[in-house]
Amino acid sequence: MQRLAPALREDNVPLDLISLIETILAATKEISFRVSQGHLSDSMGSTLDENIQGEVQKKLDVVANELFKDILLESGFVKAVSSEEEDTSVAGDEDGKYIVSFDPLDGSSNIDINSLIGTIFSIHQAPTDMAASNPDMFKQSGNHQVCAGYVLYGPSTTLVMTTGSGTHFYVLDRTHGGYLLVERNLQVPEETQEFAINMSNQRFWQPPMQNYISDLLAGDTGPRGKNFNMRWIAAMVGDIHRVLTRGGIFTYPADNRNPEKPYKLRLMYEANPMSFLIEQAGGLAMTSQGRIMDIEPTDIHQRVEVIMGSKNEVEACLGYYK
């Protein structure tokens, strides 16, 4: 098993990007330790505050966000950072070559039940013609990502990452404190019989998604002619990890609960990095209208519809929208 840096050099990743990735992963090791301590770390429970998304913050959300922000801004590699937990971007080094978007703790509603949570990150090159304080530099499509990944804090601490040369799988080896490459070039099976969706929202979905899920639930007696299993972890990192590991489709579709907020997942911090990983592993990452990574952002906290996973199943789902 290879260590991280040699594995990245094998993919011809520039040395400054390797250094930035190692900086990000240093923060994840600290978070992994705090997560493993549970109530012993005094990070459980909620704060009295809400983040910019209107969600109640967990104590560990705040700790993870500050840890990521501080370590990245002190590194010298980063011109600015953008976090799900921040109102706007935060300036770093004017000469920094990269900008980083991150969700410091995805699935934080799972913290207090000791279930799966994780960190998602996305790296773009920083525009040279914008000040570090200008959040517009983050308005780049997912096609311009130079690296994306997530760290899943489960029974093992697992890193799944791409720099554009395939999606690779690493595990944190606690004996020496580094991430080791355990599988190169993950591939999402094209066929699947698993789907992940929040069924509690079914009555709010658009008719195409309602019809698609109804046909899956009909199993081998319905038009699909085979039985499907539903899985739902309530943390995108966990559901996407399952898709990358054994196939499936994950979707958070548009709904009509609040006409002003038809979408749930954030483009910068969730949809784009996961799309990069899924596509590099041979899957598809779409909305009902087109490819996620083609979307030109209009806001750093923009939300989008998400339909991603096994190629043939995503195409089958999209067929209901035609």
Side-chain angles (χ1 to χ4, degrees), residues 217-247:
L217 295 174
D220 58 9
T221 63
R224 297 301 304 280
K226 61 180 180 179
N227 294 320
F228 284 79
N229 289 323
M230 192 189 85
R231 298 288 185 262
W232 185 249
I233 294 174
M236 193 180 187
V237 282
D239 284 306
I240 294 301
H241 191 70
R242 185 184 57 252
V243 169
L244 284 167
T245 302
R246 68 186 192 201

Side-chain angles (χ1 to χ4, degrees), residues 72-74 78-81 90-96 132-133:
L72 285 170
L73 295 179
E74 291 169 1
V78 174
K79 190 167 185 176
V81 298
V90 182
D93 191 318
E94 286 288 352
D95 297 321
S133 59

Side-chain angles (χ1 to χ4, degrees), residues 46-167:
S46 301
T47 69
L48 298 177
D49 300 319
E50 292 184 349
N51 63 15
I52 185 62
Q53 316 293 339
E55 300 164 336
V56 174
Q57 290 179 304
K58 300 290 187 177
K59 290 180 182 178
L60 203 52
D61 272 328
V62 176
V63 170
N65 184 65
E66 290 301 314
L67 184 61
F68 264 94
K69 189 169 61 171
D70 291 347
I71 198 169
L72 285 170
L73 295 179
E74 291 169 1
S75 71
F77 299 115
V78 174
K79 190 167 185 176
V81 298
S82 175
S83 167
E84 182 182 342
E85 302 297 329
E86 299 286 336
D87 292 355
T88 187
S89 62
V90 182
D93 191 318
E94 286 288 352
D95 297 321
K97 189 173 179 180
Y98 299 101
I99 55 175
V100 181
S101 302
F102 58 90
D103 181 349
L105 214 58
D106 180 65
S108 55
S109 62
N110 285 341
I111 291 172
D112 292 339
I113 61 168
N114 199 30
S115 187
L116 288 178
I117 51 178
T119 295
I120 309 172
F121 60 90
S122 169
I123 305 173
H124 285 77
Q125 288 192 331
T128 57
D129 59 348
M130 292 186 182
S133 59
N134 189 346
D136 285 348
M137 76 175 78
F138 287 90
K139 295 178 182 177
Q140 302 183 43
S141 75
N143 290 319
H144 296 293
Q145 293 173 105
V146 296
C147 177
Y150 64 80
V151 173
L152 184 66
Y153 308 115
S156 63
T157 296
T158 301
L159 165 68
V160 179
M161 185 170 62
T162 183
T163 55
S165 298
T167 295

Side-chain angles (χ1 to χ4, degrees), residues 84 103 106 120 236 265-274:
E84 182 182 342
D103 181 349
D106 180 65
I120 309 172
M236 193 180 187
L265 299 180
R266 292 81 177 177
L267 178 63
M268 305 286 195
Y269 320 110
E270 295 164 323
N272 268 339
M274 292 306 198

